[in-house]
Amino acid sequence: MTAFCHQRFRFLAGALLLAAWAMPQARAGQTCAEKKTTPETVARSMALAQRTADALEAAYRRDGTRVVLLARAGQDLSRYRQTWSHVGWAYRSAAGPWRVVHKLNQCGTDQSALMRQGVGEFFLDDLWRYQAGWTAAPAPLADALWTLLQDNQHVQRLHHSRYNMLGYTWGTRYQQSNQWALETLALAAEPEVGDRDQAQAWLRFKGYRPAMLHIGTMTRLGARVTRANIAFDDHPNEQRFASRIETTTADSMLQWLPSALRFGAVQQIGE
């Protein structure tokens, strides 16, 4: 990153990877060669990050908001009737700057890791659309999430490194990025949750409904052959053979949280 960007966006200066989970390169379900970063895309990403950071800080000063589910549009998912591609938990650190904890895929492989980044870095992941969405966690759930997100050991308790971009919501063979965020919410909300099965049981009890995507046989076969980070073998046969892929999407989370857990109305920021 250029020195200019570091000077202009101070919230990037202190962004750190979680110590034991650093990866040389990572993206949200994309290969590292899919898009080429240009000065223009960096500038647009940083402008969006600055507006988002300003909006989050304004919400904190206005009503004490300090934990939100933050979404970005890194891929065009309109064919599946989805707006957002990826979410992370953003929190206001004790020192002041906002940080984002989220799960990233390692350059199109079947492996992933958790990252702690600044808001600027969160939006540098080759965006498809320069917009952000977020919903604020209510107290006392916000307090539980705020504490969990800053604990390096606790935040990775339900993390599973085997990655599948279209992982089955109610399975544990793989874990995609949005799935980790959702299961970690269950961990923060319910002290008795001790593993992924229990987290998923809590989510079912609370009425979470994943997205059902229609993905045809040829598309599935092509993706499985060419992409190491896409698999379908964890989905129930009756759904898979009917081209019905049930997975955790950012849109399904943003629709569910305000009604089920009293998160705030979804806010959008964009060009």
Side-chain angles (χ1 to χ4, degrees):
M1 181 170 298
T2 65
F4 168 78
C5 288
H6 278 290
Q7 292 170 2
R8 185 176 179 185
F9 299 97
R10 292 180 297 171
F11 55 85
L12 282 177
L16 299 173
L17 303 181
L18 288 174
W21 309 330
M23 300 190 299
Q25 296 183 56
R27 298 192 188 280
Q30 302 177 41
T31 64
C32 291
E34 281 185 359
K35 295 181 182 179
K36 182 178 180 180
T37 300
T38 66
E40 180 184 3
T41 61
V42 170
R44 293 179 72 185
S45 294
M46 291 297 93
L48 174 60
Q50 186 69 69
R51 288 196 297 273
T52 303
D54 290 344
L56 294 177
E57 186 62 18
Y60 169 76
R61 296 183 181 280
R62 181 178 63 250
D63 53 29
T65 296
R66 59 175 183 167
V67 178
V68 306
L69 186 73
L70 181 63
R72 70 188 184 204
Q75 300 178 56
D76 179 10
L77 300 177
S78 57
R79 73 182 71 175
Y80 304 113
R81 299 181 180 180
Q82 303 293 307
T83 300
W84 311 101
S85 64
H86 180 76
V87 298
W89 288 110
Y91 68 95
R92 191 182 192 276
S93 66
W98 283 79
R99 297 284 181 256
V100 186
V101 180
H102 60 136
K103 174 174 176 148
L104 287 177
N105 176 222
Q106 187 173 3
C107 294
T109 70
D110 65 351
Q111 294 298 305
S112 62
L114 299 183
M115 311 287 277
R116 189 189 309 278
Q117 298 180 325
V119 176
E121 287 174 301
F122 180 78
F123 287 108
L124 270 178
D125 193 23
D126 291 336
L127 300 180
W128 169 261
R129 195 178 66 255
Y130 291 87
Q131 292 183 324
W134 56 274
T135 177
L141 184 52
D143 296 334
L145 279 165
W146 190 82
T147 300
L148 182 153
L149 292 170
Q150 296 176 90
D151 185 327
N152 284 354
Q153 291 186 334
H154 201 193
V155 79
Q156 64 175 324
R157 185 173 176 182
L158 299 187
H159 176 251
H160 182 59
S161 63
R162 190 79 184 277
Y163 181 88
N164 175 12
M165 187 163 62
L166 292 169
Y168 181 52
T169 296
W170 311 120
T172 58
R173 183 177 303 175
Y174 309 104
Q175 186 185 57
Q176 47 112 302
S177 300
N178 300 328
Q179 192 175 14
W180 168 81
L182 191 61
E183 292 173 359
T184 296
L185 169 65
L187 178 64
E190 178 49 66
E192 294 185 4
V193 167
D195 57 32
R196 295 185 63 199
D197 286 324
Q198 292 175 346
Q200 292 172 12
W202 184 87
L203 292 166
R204 283 184 184 271
F205 174 73
K206 290 295 183 178
Y208 172 70
R209 297 182 63 182
M212 186 69 77
L213 309 182
H214 184 274
I215 303 178
T217 302
M218 296 307 296
T219 300
R220 295 200 311 274
L221 288 175
R224 190 67 189 101
V225 169
T226 61
R227 300 289 294 269
N229 62 355
I230 296 179
F232 299 96
D233 56 352
D234 58 333
H235 290 265
N237 288 338
E238 63 272 16
Q239 291 184 4
R240 177 159 50 102
F241 296 151
S243 300
R244 293 166 60 84
I245 301 303
E246 194 172 21
T247 195
T248 307
T249 64
D251 287 58
S252 66
M253 294 175 66
L254 291 171
Q255 292 165 8
W256 173 71
L257 288 170
S259 60
L261 298 181
R262 298 183 179 179
F263 273 60
V266 176
Q267 308 294 315
Q268 292 193 35
I269 300 168
E271 294 180 339

